[in-house]
Amino acid sequence: MSKARVGVAELGNPILRVQAEKVVSFAGSGAETSRLLYIVEQMREVMQDRDGVGIAAPQIGISQQILIIASRPNERYPEAPFIEPVVMINPIINSKSSQTEKGWEGCLSVPGIRGYVSRAVQVNVSFVDMDGAPQCWGLEGFPARIFLHEYDHLIGLTFLDRIDSVADLISENELAKR
Ligand code: NI
């Protein structure tokens, strides 16, 4: 079985450092709709292939405001809770809790490294779904962490920009030994 592999943009790739463009076309214009579906399908494939629990379009080389949250337990994140995967387009943070929590994060674009990152425990977000319908969601705990991590990719940041200290970085191999 061979499968075409979509490349993942890794640290140093300029696409990870720029503000992603808003998605402007949804249902209605056929070509644009199928382009959006195609992008999301590729994102899903890469995410599943590499045991990610989330992904943002810039990570597959597309500078558009699209992210997926798909928390589920897997080899990379055995403690992750299961939630139905959700595609968020043009997401906005409406509010987030002042209460924060530190947790380990990895990133398909930062291979081999995990960071102990402080994030808001709760976040309220707006986004547009695949059908172009506006949505408002509250996220808490690990799904909130995933959202904030993926959202950062849309504004040119990675978790490395969020760590308090370089001492909060660890190699995946060392983390696995703990
Ligand atoms: Ni990431």
Side-chain angles (χ1 to χ4, degrees), residues 16 54-56 59 105-110 149-150 153 157-159:
L16 297 176
I55 193 166
Q59 293 185 275
E105 291 182 20
C107 181
L108 301 179
S109 298
V110 187
H149 175 116
E150 303 309 338
H153 281 303
L157 299 176
T158 71
F159 75 83

Side-chain angles (χ1 to χ4, degrees), residues 32-42 130:
E32 283 301 323
T33 303
S34 41
R35 177 169 153 76
L36 184 61
L37 289 174
Y38 179 72
I39 294 169
V40 168
E41 213 32 65
Q42 289 202 312
M130 286 292 285

Side-chain angles (χ1 to χ4, degrees), residues 7-24:
V8 172
E10 294 183 356
L11 200 62
N13 188 317
I15 202 164
L16 297 176
R17 285 297 176 202
V18 296
Q19 166 79 44
E21 300 286 330
K22 255 193 152 124
V23 175
V24 289

